[in-house]
Amino acid sequence: MEQYDGFIPQNTAPVGVKRIGVYNDQEKRVGVVKLAGLAKAKGEKLYSFGAISDVHLSVADSESDFIRALKYLDASTVDFTCICGDITNNGNATQLARYKELVDANAKVPVYAITGNHDTYAYNDGIESQIATYTGNPMYYSFTHGNDVFIMLGIKSEGALFTDEELNWFAETLEANQNKRCFVFQHCFTGYETTPTCGNANGMYHSYCWSGDGQAQLTEFKRLLSQYKNTVFFHGHSHLKFRLQEGCDYANLDESEGFKSVHIPSISRPRQEDGADDNTSPDYDDSGSEGYLVDVYETGIHLRGRDFVGGEFIPLASYWLDTTV
């Protein structure tokens, strides 16, 4: 039987679970907690969407991992899927074209993607003129589903991630939708260098985005998220596995910075702690694949972290997040 430590207050039971066993240090059951169904407690589900990140097409088993996730999410009757950047490993035309081919062949519902730092490696400043060809959407854009707004922020490169126009557009979009629930997708988490933050458990990830001139943009980005309490911020980049919450309570989800922050591991090569104190980022697990299926309710969202290879939801990554506007 799989056992987990490190649950946080936002954790909730996975769908279908009717009771939770309570065990002592000797693995002896000392009690049972009976549970009401989530729908009964929170109301009826409005819709669902997939939230995945860091596909890195061309690396290891990235294609089969991506296809598996798309087909599973389709079969789960999500309304659409959002990809939080790094859809390719090098951002060249061959890899971007392959991304489009895989989406067209395997996704029946819309797929909304944004660029990550890897997607800009080949085109650099020219990515804006290319990305719509392969994803069907520009560098930054928004769409609505029901009463909710999805804000998709692609990035150009490391350092100053946004143009001034994009950052201004983001501020204006938040202001125009301040009375609606807004889900914000942007590739990089809000930590700098080895700063411990959601998406960088215990500061173990050593590749950051907001270098140099990016520090001013990071400050403004965080200010906007903190100002508009109707937002939920989704990000990827570090690939860190859900399981790292066992040693860090803010690894996957955090609200301590003044806004709701949700980290999405990699769909193709999540990272796991290697135990080495050698100033390198954690090791890749090319056999792994993790992401979210998100159920949306009137007053909140149920984040359902999934192991796509193992074909099961991960109890440690099952969260209820109150999103009352």
Side-chain angles (χ1 to χ4, degrees):
M1 179 179 63
E2 191 77 15
Q3 297 184 23
Y4 296 91
D5 295 315
F7 289 99
I8 61 176
Q10 294 94 335
N11 274 120
T12 189
V15 170
V17 172
K18 297 181 179 180
R19 62 184 65 86
I20 294 176
V22 181
Y23 295 79
N24 62 17
D25 292 340
Q26 288 74 45
E27 299 186 10
K28 180 180 179 181
R29 193 170 75 178
V30 295
V32 173
V33 179
K34 294 184 178 180
L35 304 171
L38 189 71
K40 182 178 180 180
K42 304 297 183 181
E44 294 301 318
K45 184 178 72 174
L46 302 178
Y47 64 94
S48 299
F49 65 91
I52 61 177
S53 189
D54 293 272
V55 182
H56 288 272
L57 285 178
S58 84
V59 172
D61 299 323
S62 56
E63 284 201 11
S64 58
D65 288 332
F66 189 37
I67 292 169
R68 182 193 301 110
L70 291 176
K71 288 187 173 181
Y72 171 79
L73 292 168
D74 268 357
S76 300
T77 64
V78 298
D79 292 72
F80 53 89
T81 292
C82 295
I83 306 179
C84 210
D86 280 2
I87 57 178
T88 68
N89 198 54
N90 303 105
N92 57 47
T94 300
Q95 292 173 8
L96 287 165
R98 185 58 177 156
Y99 164 81
K100 185 177 187 306
E101 290 173 358
L102 292 176
V103 170
D104 290 346
N106 296 284
K108 297 177 183 178
V109 300
V111 176
Y112 298 100
I114 53 173
T115 56
N117 57 306
H118 276 258
D119 299 311
T120 68
Y121 283 174
Y123 287 111
N124 296 319
D125 289 341
I127 189 67
E128 297 98 328
S129 64
Q130 299 290 328
I131 195 64
T133 300
Y134 302 107
T135 67
N137 289 293
M139 282 288 289
Y140 55 94
Y141 58 98
S142 67
F143 65 93
T144 59
H145 192 85
N147 294 320
D148 299 327
V149 180
F150 288 75
I151 302 174
M152 312 296 289
L153 299 171
I155 63 174
K156 285 181 58 179
S157 61
E158 297 176 18
L161 304 185
F162 314 118
T163 61
D164 291 341
E165 291 77 11
E166 181 174 2
L167 196 56
N168 290 337
W169 174 87
F170 179 46
E172 292 167 357
T173 302
L174 289 176
E175 177 65 20
N177 294 284
Q178 60 182 295
N179 295 319
K180 296 181 179 180
R181 180 167 48 185
C182 292
F183 299 113
V184 178
F185 284 78
Q186 189 270 123
H187 181 64
C188 296
F189 54 81
T190 55
Y192 178 63
E193 294 186 332
T194 58
T195 305
T197 187
C198 181
N200 192 14
N202 295 322
M204 69 176 64
Y205 186 69
H206 297 274
S207 177
Y208 55 97
C209 291
W210 309 87
S211 58
D213 295 340
Q215 281 288 280
Q217 288 195 347
L218 173 59
T219 298
E220 176 63 7
F221 184 69
K222 292 170 66 173
R223 186 193 70 80
L224 289 169
L225 291 174
S226 299
Q227 177 180 342
Y228 294 94
K229 303 297 185 183
N230 55 320
T231 61
V232 179
F233 171 41
F234 289 86
H235 48 87
H237 185 56
S238 70
H239 297 214
L240 296 185
K241 281 187 169 186
F242 288 129
R243 189 82 191 229
L244 293 177
Q245 182 178 298
E246 290 191 319
C248 179
D249 59 5
Y250 56 80
N252 303 325
L253 188 150
D254 187 45
E255 301 180 57
S256 66
E257 290 191 278
F259 51 86
K260 298 176 178 65
S261 182
V262 178
H263 170 65
I264 310 171
S266 173
I267 201 66
S268 66
R269 48 184 351 207
R271 289 180 183 265
Q272 55 193 356
E273 190 169 13
D274 56 15
D277 186 15
D278 55 6
N279 201 37
T280 60
S281 293
D283 292 338
Y284 289 119
D285 175 12
D286 286 325
S287 66
S289 180
E290 296 184 353
Y292 281 113
L293 191 158
V294 184
D295 292 333
V296 182
Y297 296 79
E298 189 68 35
T299 59
I301 57 176
H302 185 192
L303 296 154
R304 303 171 63 191
R306 185 167 180 83
D307 171 1
F308 287 97
V309 173
E312 59 186 5
F313 289 102
I314 301 171
L316 195 68
S318 179
Y319 308 102
W320 173 261
L321 190 57
D322 191 307
T323 60
T324 304
V325 177

